[in-house]
Amino acid sequence: MGKVICDITISLDGYSAGHHQTEERPFGDDGGDGSGAALHAWMFDAPEENRAEIDRLNTAGAFVMGRNMFGPVRGAWDRPWNGWWGDDPPFHAPVFVLTHHPRDPQPMDGGTTFHFVTEGITAALDRARAAAGDGDVTVMGGATTVNQYLTAGLVDELRLHIAAFTLGSGTRLFDGVPPLPLRQLTARPTSLVTHLTYAVLR
């Protein structure tokens, strides 16, 4: 069985998004236009400098994400929404989306299928592990979802990309998470971000 990995970009003060997220501003009050440009500049403005980390983002056998990461639709699925990533999302594997509202699986181009799980984080992880086989499962976010998995003791490895700016407020990683014993595995600074990888000890 592969590892359960949480992989997330945060500001220097620990936020993965600002307040007041909307469809037009998916990262809310992020100090810019709400697109998360400063948080993810390391991927889009300096891709070659961060090639190793970018290349391993979507190598898992299956993925888990929260409803808010999947999209801005809240409550019942009252209109079509298939994610932020167009017809060919970058995952190319099963993605299990946490939600309180049932929905049929949504196949996309390139091998990605979004599955909607209403039974909670453990059920989503069990299904992702079954789908991944011997591969890893990556919990993509957002921070609220990662915090739930960390609190439940379900994470083997934590990969943080710490962007070189502060947000001041928003959705914060480790909010409500009990103390965690960690072992640092790697640390690599580049011009826009510091990449840190920790083993989560049990």
Side-chain angles (χ1 to χ4, degrees):
M1 184 180 295
K3 295 180 289 189
V4 177
I5 299 163
C6 287
D7 193 311
I8 191 167
T9 298
I10 58 175
S11 62
L12 185 60
D13 51 349
Y15 296 99
S16 69
H19 291 306
H20 310 119
Q21 297 165 49
T22 65
E23 186 169 344
E24 294 74 25
R25 297 177 60 86
F27 287 87
D29 299 333
D30 65 353
D33 64 2
S35 69
L39 274 168
H40 300 108
W42 64 275
M43 284 189 271
F44 301 110
D45 295 349
E48 292 311 312
E49 190 180 20
N50 299 284
R51 179 56 54 196
E53 291 77 15
I54 291 170
D55 286 349
R56 74 176 185 176
L57 277 174
N58 296 315
T59 58
F63 298 85
V64 176
M65 69 174 62
R67 171 80 180 262
N68 289 5
M69 181 173 177
F70 179 71
V73 181
R74 303 291 184 259
W77 300 97
D78 59 356
R79 65 184 172 105
W81 181 269
N82 296 326
W84 301 101
W85 304 278
D87 293 333
D88 185 4
F91 309 105
H92 307 297
V95 180
F96 296 87
V97 180
L98 296 162
T99 178
H100 295 295
H101 299 273
R103 177 177 164 179
D104 291 336
Q106 178 62 53
M108 306 293 289
D109 294 344
T112 299
T113 297
F114 293 111
H115 302 269
F116 301 91
V117 182
T118 59
E119 300 86 5
I121 65 169
T122 302
L125 181 57
D126 288 345
R127 291 180 60 183
R129 278 176 162 155
D134 292 334
D136 295 333
V137 172
T138 295
V139 178
M140 298 294 291
T144 300
T145 297
V146 171
N147 289 344
Q148 290 180 68
Y149 279 97
L150 290 171
T151 297
L154 297 173
V155 177
D156 300 308
E157 189 171 293
L158 181 61
R159 296 176 183 171
L160 301 180
H161 313 284
I162 302 178
F165 77 106
T166 61
L167 265 178
S169 65
T171 305
R172 190 172 187 276
L173 189 66
F174 303 121
D175 217 13
V177 177
L180 293 173
L182 304 171
R183 181 176 73 252
Q184 185 168 296
L185 300 177
T186 64
R188 192 173 86 88
T190 66
S191 62
L192 299 176
V193 68
T194 299
H195 304 288
L196 300 172
T197 304
Y198 297 96
V200 183
L201 307 179
R202 295 187 173 91

